[in-house]
Amino acid sequence: MTTGLWIILDHGVALLTIATWFAAGVTLALRRTRLALAVLVAAVLVTLVRVVTVAILADRGWWFVQEKVLLGLPMLGAAGAAAVLLAGPQLLAARRGRGDGGSAGGVVSVLTAAYAALAGLVVTFLVGYPLTVSTAFITISLVCAGALLTARVVAPPAENTADAGVAQAPEGRRAISRRRFLGWTGGAVVVTAAGAGTGLSFLPAESVTMGGGPGRSSRAAVSVADLRGSGSPASGGTVRRHVLTAKKATVRLPSGREIDAWTYNGEVPGPEITATEGDLIEVRLRNADIEDGVTLHWHGYDVPCGEDGVPGVTQTAVGPGEDFVYRFRADQVGTYWYHTHHASHVGVHKGLYGTLVVRPRDGQRADEHSAAEQVDLTLPVHTFDGTVVIAGSDGRTEHPAPPGTPVRLRLINTDSDPHRIVLAGNPFRIAAVDGRDLNQPGEVSDVGLHLPAGGRYDLVFVMPDRSVALVVDDDRDGGLRLRPHGDAPEARVEDTSDLPELDLLRYGAPAAVPFDTRNADRHFTMVLDRGVAMVDGQPAYAQTVNGRGHPAIPDQLVANGDIVRFTVVNRSLETHPWHLHGHPVLILSRDGTPSTGSPLWVDTFDVRPGETWEVAFRATNPGIWMNHCHNLPHAHQGMMLRLHYDGVATPFGGSHGGSPDHGH
Ligand code: C2O
Ligand code: CU
């Protein structure tokens, strides 16, 4: 069973503990002794089952259970044990016909166990990992406050009750004053603890984490504004100039459907930018009428930081009537894309994206000769109002491909959710992932490919003498059909939804990697979850990293040349496509199982519920880089932080990149 399923099961058992303890408390209060005894036994049993589910999760990783082991279960355990000791003997006695089975103490203690169970689950959902002393104080005081209030209701001070006569007896008076004393001191302790917990939560949090490496040096800061791209192509290269104007437009899709889009140059996707290795790419971005502002971010392309297009970090957003020129050398071959990075959860979704493809230089000659016989298609997949649009086409598209032609399909997921890709009708290889070639990718067929948000797969094969179908999300009516000749019958595509998913961690052959991944200079752990956190100055039910939301998540400090390791843990029930700017990361392992296939260098990897990924990279591209979930609404809801090179500063603090530069 996957960790994700155990997480769900554990939530279910936690709900059951709450339900059974409450039921025990209520039946006891109603003096339904037989039922109360049965429910109490059930509550104890469910609590023991909970111990087992938490233990199993603990085995999958401390991150999944910390607050349960340190707070939730001990609280429930203590309250539950007290409840059994207080209520149990009375219930057993009542069963044997002695007494009515209930006392105020029994009812209060059983209900307190219910509050403890509830509080534990609330902490898991609202706070999660890491547990803080502040959270523990506040939670325990709330449970105690609940117990005190319940005691007042179940056993009110004698003067308010009908049997006030008891108060006349000296013994009764002593009991009442003892209860008052307990009530007052209890109340005082609870208020003090809650106050201390609340006070602690306002302590300033650190703004930088070092990941076990040395702290900030006192070197004079380099500004990201000075980390700009080269002014000239490599010898033999040319300059590829483009002007992209961001503007609103009504775009008509081939089916006739119209969408109100935000576009580059009125097109969706924006103009295709292509280059040959070593060319200089120069793009002037203009903004016609996108009031919020726009930028261009070169997704997966390791440009110098000043070209990275992150407003508030590497530049200010380009407002209507303004422009900005991006310039960088196309030294990296492969399939990439560009998109706005300003309010990207809206802008990219509405169409502010396009493709960037760089072909190898030595291959250029061959390309020129055989261009006519090659099929090389760039296929960004984007969803507009629930309709999948591939390279600007909704519905099914057809493309001729004579038999024997080498075919390359460059799939790009420009959405915030993963897509499932199936190539039916011919075996194929995945030549590249996220633009980087794989080592000895083998032929596969009858498999589904899971393409994370932001990710790219280059599929290659030689065109057979029959049709080949590209199926997206198992929709056999849409997608792309390659036909060997005009009159070839169309391939009948079988149902693809049962095909197993190819595991890229076991695909291709291993090869040497350029650094020793065991000796990282810095190691950062990012635990992804939902919780209550401040996002842009507002409290929100946020998407969090280590319990915080952007911009309150500390920057990760690295120094140029460091080998950096990330552990990314998903405690939540949603998939998080993790994306680091400016550097490809090497996948080391998933859930403790090492990657055994081709070295896998990616810029986005999907961390599914319950998964733990280990990745590493060498920090060789100085700057301040966003490190975020590429489900763009999640990023907007706080799941975003910065990788900050020592000695680099930004003059652009503000807008979406977040708070002013940290650490001063
Ligand atoms: Cu494609 Cu920061 O994103
Ligand atoms: Cu996410």
Side-chain angles (χ1 to χ4, degrees):
M1 217 163 103
T2 67
T3 309
L5 288 175
W6 279 113
I7 291 176
I8 294 173
L9 188 71
D10 181 62
H11 288 334
V13 178
L15 279 173
L16 263 185
T17 60
I18 298 169
T20 48
W21 281 106
F22 268 110
V26 171
T27 45
L28 190 59
L30 296 175
R31 300 283 189 272
R32 305 276 307 274
T33 46
R34 268 170 186 283
L35 189 58
L37 183 62
V39 182
L40 183 66
V41 170
V44 170
L45 290 179
V46 175
T47 304
L48 293 176
V49 172
R50 183 86 208 288
V51 172
V52 174
T53 58
V54 169
I56 289 168
L57 273 181
D59 183 54
R60 306 295 170 102
W62 178 239
W63 315 284
F64 299 114
V65 295
Q66 189 208 35
E67 85 289 3
K68 310 180 209 314
V69 170
L70 295 185
L71 180 66
L73 281 186
M75 236 173 18
L76 177 56
V84 168
L85 289 179
L86 278 172
Q90 292 167 1
L91 282 171
L92 286 175
R95 198 159 161 253
R96 284 187 225 104
R98 274 179 277 123
D100 66 355
S103 72
V107 174
V108 172
S109 65
V110 173
L111 283 175
T112 302
Y115 303 154
L118 177 63
L121 191 66
V122 168
V123 166
T124 289
F125 272 94
L126 298 191
V127 184
Y129 180 94
L131 177 70
T132 60
V133 176
S134 154
T135 303
F137 269 30
I138 294 173
T139 313
I140 293 172
S141 27
L142 284 177
V143 171
C144 293
L148 288 174
L149 285 175
T150 309
R152 270 195 82 94
V153 173
V154 174
E159 58 266 36
N160 303 331
T161 64
D163 59 357
V166 182
Q168 303 316 316
E171 214 170 286
R173 229 178 290 138
R174 231 177 294 132
I176 287 168
S177 63
R178 199 181 65 219
R179 251 166 49 199
R180 282 226 186 97
F181 174 76
L182 282 177
W184 280 109
T185 33
V189 169
V190 164
V191 169
T192 315
T198 313
L200 281 174
S201 73
F202 283 105
L203 283 185
E206 81 269 301
S207 61
V208 175
T209 50
M210 316 303 172
R216 283 247 153 103
S217 71
S218 53
R219 265 189 309 126
V222 176
S223 167
V224 285
D226 297 326
L227 297 169
R228 300 303 302 268
S230 138
S232 55
S235 80
T238 60
V239 182
R240 309 270 181 168
R241 284 203 177 81
H242 295 265
V243 177
L244 298 190
T245 303
K247 60 179 168 199
K248 294 176 184 157
T250 304
V251 175
R252 177 180 280 268
L253 297 173
S255 70
R257 172 127 168 249
E258 295 192 327
I259 46 174
D260 286 323
W262 290 4
T263 71
Y264 292 113
N265 293 6
E267 303 161 27
V268 164
E272 202 170 336
I273 298 180
T274 58
T276 302
E277 189 181 3
D279 287 353
L280 184 80
I281 295 178
E282 189 185 291
V283 181
R284 178 176 296 270
L285 170 66
R286 296 206 160 107
N287 182 355
D289 59 1
I290 309 293
E291 292 90 2
D292 289 357
V294 290
T295 64
L296 284 174
H297 166 62
W298 310 95
H299 183 113
Y301 220 72
D302 306 329
V303 298
C305 192
E307 312 290 345
D308 199 43
V310 178
V313 177
T314 69
Q315 65 174 103
T316 46
V318 176
E322 299 175 346
D323 67 357
F324 188 94
V325 179
Y326 298 88
R327 200 178 284 115
F328 57 91
R329 270 253 295 268
D331 290 328
Q332 220 173 303
V333 168
T335 307
Y336 302 89
W337 62 299
Y338 61 82
H339 61 80
T340 184
H341 214 285
H342 186 66
S344 53
H345 63 295
V346 179
V348 178
H349 182 69
K350 283 179 171 285
L352 287 171
Y353 69 93
T355 63
L356 167 65
V357 172
V358 178
R359 297 192 169 82
R361 175 152 299 276
D362 33 336
Q364 192 196 15
R365 278 217 109 110
D367 277 356
E368 276 167 4
H369 282 285
S370 59
E373 308 115 51
Q374 277 214 4
V375 173
D376 183 338
L377 303 176
T378 305
L379 304 169
V381 179
H382 198 83
T383 306
F384 288 100
D385 309 327
T387 302
V388 171
V389 176
I390 302 176
S393 298
D394 54 345
R396 185 191 302 175
T397 39
E398 301 224 346
H399 205 279
T405 314
V407 177
R408 180 177 288 252
L409 304 179
R410 301 171 185 266
L411 286 150
I412 306 175
N413 184 352
T414 63
D415 278 324
S416 277
D417 289 304
H419 281 295
R420 178 175 156 91
I421 308 289
V422 171
L423 191 77
N426 205 53
F428 63 99
R429 300 169 199 273
I430 303 153
V433 171
D434 286 4
R436 285 98 183 165
D437 285 348
L438 296 187
N439 184 46
Q440 298 176 30
E443 263 192 356
V444 289
S445 52
D446 296 328
V447 289
L449 304 177
H450 176 93
L451 181 58
R456 286 91 59 212
Y457 292 153
D458 285 22
L459 312 186
V460 300
F461 57 94
V462 173
M463 188 63 196
D465 194 15
R466 57 182 185 278
S467 295
V468 173
L470 179 80
V471 179
V472 176
D473 299 334
D474 301 311
D475 172 16
R476 288 180 284 166
D477 299 327
L480 174 79
R481 299 289 183 275
L482 295 174
R483 300 180 82 167
H485 16 73
D487 53 356
E490 189 170 304
R492 232 183 64 76
V493 182
E494 305 288 331
D495 182 6
T496 57
S497 58
D498 288 340
L499 295 179
E501 186 178 307
L502 181 75
D503 184 3
L504 286 175
L505 269 65
R506 289 183 292 173
Y507 179 68
V513 295
F515 52 81
D516 181 359
T517 55
R518 283 161 309 176
N519 296 317
D521 299 295
R522 308 203 187 235
H523 184 170
F524 299 99
T525 299
M526 288 169 270
V527 178
L528 315 180
D529 203 353
R530 294 211 72 169
V532 172
M534 300 294 280
V535 176
D536 287 328
Q538 303 276 344
Y541 192 49
Q543 299 281 353
T544 58
V545 179
N546 301 334
R548 307 240 197 105
H550 176 79
I553 306 169
D555 282 7
Q556 295 165 329
L557 184 76
V558 299
N560 199 0
D562 279 353
I563 294 164
V564 184
R565 199 173 164 131
F566 283 165
T567 300
V568 188
V569 182
N570 186 355
R571 261 182 65 116
S572 79
L573 301 177
E574 293 163 282
T575 292
H576 299 296
W578 201 257
H579 172 60
L580 171 66
H581 285 205
H583 312 70
V585 301
L586 176 68
I587 305 295
L588 304 179
S589 69
R590 181 189 53 223
D591 296 339
T593 308
S595 164
T596 53
S598 161
L600 194 55
W601 293 91
V602 299
D603 45 68
T604 315
F605 51 99
D606 253 351
V607 187
R608 292 189 245 188
E611 286 184 346
T612 300
W613 289 64
E614 298 276 343
V615 306
F617 62 97
R618 195 194 273 280
T620 51
N621 194 4
I624 302 174
W625 301 99
M626 299 315 289
N627 189 14
H628 64 94
C629 177
H630 216 284
N631 180 309
L632 299 174
H634 290 182
H636 175 68
Q637 291 166 57
M639 203 171 261
M640 172 159 67
L641 65 151
R642 315 193 300 182
L643 179 87
H644 197 146
Y645 276 67
D646 187 21
V648 178
T650 173
F652 303 111
S655 54
H656 140 101
S659 55
D661 191 25
H662 295 298
H664 292 285

